[in-house]
Amino acid sequence: CTETYAERYYNRLDVQKAMHANITRIPYRWTACSDVLIKTWNDSELSMLPTYRMLIKAGIRIWVFSGDTDSVVPVTATRFSLSHLNLKTKIRWYPWYSAGQVGGWSEVYEGLTFASVRGAGHEVPLFQPRRAFRMFVSFLAGKPLPKS
Amino acid sequence: AEERARDRVTALPGQPAVAFAQYSGYVTVSEPHGRALFYWLTEAAAGDPAGKPLVLWLNGGPGCSSVAYGASEEIGPFRIKPNGTGLFLNKYSWNREANLLFLESPAGVGFSYSNTSSDLKTSGDERTAQDSLQFLIGWMSRFPQYRHRDFYIAGESYAGHYVPQLARKIVEYNKASPNPFINLKGILVGNAVTDNYYDNIGTVTYWWTHAMISDGTYRAILKLCNFTSANVSNACNRAMSYAMNHEFGDIDQYSIYTPSCH
């Protein structure tokens, strides 16, 4: 229920003042998600795979991760999509570790790293903050996730 | 410098004392339309922020707020106490290792606004990416210390579109610039909307392999839904709705093994 806390906190006038927010007095309450936008969204690309290929060519580091208890954009969806990039495998599928436990599984391809995060939902850092942070540190370092 | 000083956040109500600096405010992305995007920067908590990378975090939706999710319940330095009475520290905040920039995008999300109200009904991938690039250019002129800094873009869900699309705009912008200053090094996306067809097949497969739907419903969806098309047929809608309304039960679909929020 944490998003209800945000709805309360960011609608407080003292919070908006402290953040220099809502200076134009928007005619609606601050909310975590806008119904208007999601219902009237115009253009949406069918696939991001061509963009991934362009970014790989441009030498941009790409990491894609999945919390494996999410059923809205689940790990199987992401894996199925990524498999159609047909990338060459550099480091074969292995369990990665955080605090002595399997933090998830990972596979490193030419140009892209995939990692699952075990026991995490759609918002990975909310459900598995320590594993998410461990993954972030490896991403910034540009190093594969730890094997122990 | 004056704009930067004006954006400085001394402290948020109910916030524990912290040593890192915070800034928040608006960057205009379209003068004619009066469109401005709201940001919140929490600088790195450990070591010298000048030596740490800049990470821009985008949530998805489309239409959801990076302040509500990314900052307040995922990677930001603060968590919100129940009933919004104050803040407490997030032990695994990503600002231990980076300067975190949360952007509410596009206009209409959170505190971001447009003085042209029709803008809220004409948003889409293309303008969102263009506005976010415009935001970055304007923001980095206000915070020139972040020009040429190692820069990463991260996000989740529908930001599986926003993040690579903004990265693509930056790569193109840098190619066209005699002196590029946005030093994009990488992108990191989680539970990311990636490909309409493969995502949908993979999603229904997850529902079946995790015993959330029956064999019959699984077969019906695969038979009635043509995921190669952006338009969903009534028969497909009915099959999907049956699964969610009669077979899932009262679960949190975003985290199927934890209690749902009432």
Side-chain angles (χ1 to χ4, degrees):
Chain A
C1 298
T2 44
E3 71 191 60
T4 56
Y5 310 160
E7 298 263 348
R8 290 191 183 91
Y9 189 73
Y10 294 109
N11 278 298
R12 284 174 43 176
L13 293 183
D14 57 340
V15 172
Q16 293 179 3
K17 186 166 185 297
M19 296 187 88
H20 326 111
N22 199 2
I23 52 177
T24 60
R25 312 293 350 130
I26 44 180
Y28 46 83
R29 273 173 62 83
W30 181 94
T31 179
C33 290
S34 159
D35 279 346
V36 170
L37 280 173
I38 197 164
K39 285 181 181 139
T40 61
W41 196 256
N42 274 261
D43 52 299
S44 175
E45 286 189 80
L46 278 179
S47 179
M48 299 314 300
L49 297 182
T51 301
Y52 277 147
R53 290 192 186 97
M54 175 261 192
L55 294 173
I56 288 171
K57 207 173 286 176
I60 304 294
R61 184 183 309 155
I62 300 179
W63 280 42
V64 180
F65 64 94
S66 289
D68 61 10
T69 70
D70 173 32
S71 74
V72 175
V73 188
V75 55
T76 43
T78 298
R79 289 181 67 190
F80 199 45
S81 291
L82 295 183
S83 69
H84 287 83
L85 283 171
N86 299 308
L87 299 173
K88 206 157 141 276
T89 301
K90 274 177 71 177
I91 302 176
R92 285 190 58 182
W93 193 266
Y94 69 96
W96 65 272
Y97 283 80
S98 166
Q101 294 286 327
V102 172
W105 287 266
S106 179
E107 190 152 72
V108 181
Y109 306 101
E110 298 280 0
L112 184 146
T113 292
F114 170 77
S116 75
V117 182
R118 187 162 68 98
H122 192 71
E123 294 177 78
V124 169
L126 170 62
F127 293 100
Q128 290 290 345
R130 181 171 192 170
R131 291 176 181 168
F133 181 70
R134 186 67 197 80
M135 176 189 68
F136 179 59
V137 170
S138 291
F139 165 71
L140 287 184
K143 291 198 173 72
L145 285 155
K147 292 194 171 180
S148 62
Chain B
E2 187 191 316
E3 284 181 324
R4 194 166 62 240
R6 191 183 56 207
D7 285 358
R8 182 71 190 258
V9 174
T10 43
L12 293 176
Q15 171 206 305
V18 292
F20 56 83
Q22 304 177 68
Y23 298 83
S24 59
Y26 288 93
V27 173
T28 298
V29 293
S30 165
E31 287 287 355
H33 279 230
R35 220 170 37 242
L37 299 185
F38 182 78
Y39 79 89
W40 180 13
L41 172 72
T42 57
E43 291 201 322
D48 176 9
K52 300 278 188 181
L54 175 67
V55 174
L56 169 68
W57 175 272
L58 296 167
N59 273 97
C64 293
S65 159
S66 306
V67 168
Y69 294 102
S72 307
E73 49 183 62
E74 295 187 85
I75 69 167
F78 306 118
R79 289 277 195 271
I80 299 175
K81 289 178 183 168
N83 302 328
T85 52
L87 305 171
F88 60 96
L89 289 176
N90 167 17
K91 180 181 172 189
Y92 292 107
S93 172
W94 290 14
N95 86 319
R96 284 170 47 182
E97 288 300 326
N99 302 284
L100 303 181
L101 179 57
F102 299 99
L103 173 62
E104 291 195 311
S105 173
V109 171
F111 293 122
S112 296
Y113 68 86
S114 178
N115 292 331
T116 308
S117 52
S118 59
D119 280 354
L120 273 56
K121 297 202 166 98
T122 55
S123 279
D125 284 9
E126 173 52 30
R127 195 177 74 201
T128 299
Q130 188 53 40
D131 278 1
S132 297
L133 174 66
Q134 205 53 52
F135 164 83
L136 266 182
I137 295 165
W139 188 85
M140 284 194 181
S141 70
R142 190 175 304 175
F143 292 86
Q145 68 268 38
Y146 284 103
R147 293 157 74 98
H148 306 290
R149 183 80 63 89
D150 283 2
F151 173 59
Y152 300 91
I153 315 172
E156 97 208 349
S157 196
Y158 196 78
H161 277 215
Y162 296 158
V163 171
Q165 287 166 342
L166 175 55
R168 182 175 68 198
K169 288 265 183 206
I170 290 168
V171 168
E172 291 160 357
Y173 176 76
N174 284 345
K175 260 188 208 148
S177 302
N179 305 302
F181 55 84
I182 306 178
N183 183 21
L184 177 65
K185 307 289 281 186
I187 65 172
L188 170 67
V189 288
N191 295 81
V193 175
T194 304
D195 178 281
N196 208 51
Y197 176 69
Y198 300 128
D199 283 356
N200 275 302
I201 298 284
T203 299
V204 178
T205 305
Y206 185 93
W207 294 350
W208 184 70
T209 55
H210 285 70
M212 293 165 67
I213 59 174
S214 64
D215 298 358
T217 298
Y218 178 58
R219 280 195 296 270
I221 291 173
L222 292 183
K223 180 165 158 264
L224 299 170
C225 295
N226 169 13
F227 292 126
T228 56
S229 149
N231 308 310
V232 184
S233 69
N234 288 336
C236 171
N237 248 334
R238 275 197 301 275
M240 294 289 250
S241 302
Y242 182 81
M244 292 186 185
N245 301 326
H246 297 283
E247 296 191 343
F248 276 13
D250 179 14
I251 60 163
D252 176 355
Q253 293 179 35
Y254 291 94
S255 172
I256 63 174
Y257 302 124
T258 51
S260 51
C261 170
H262 292 290

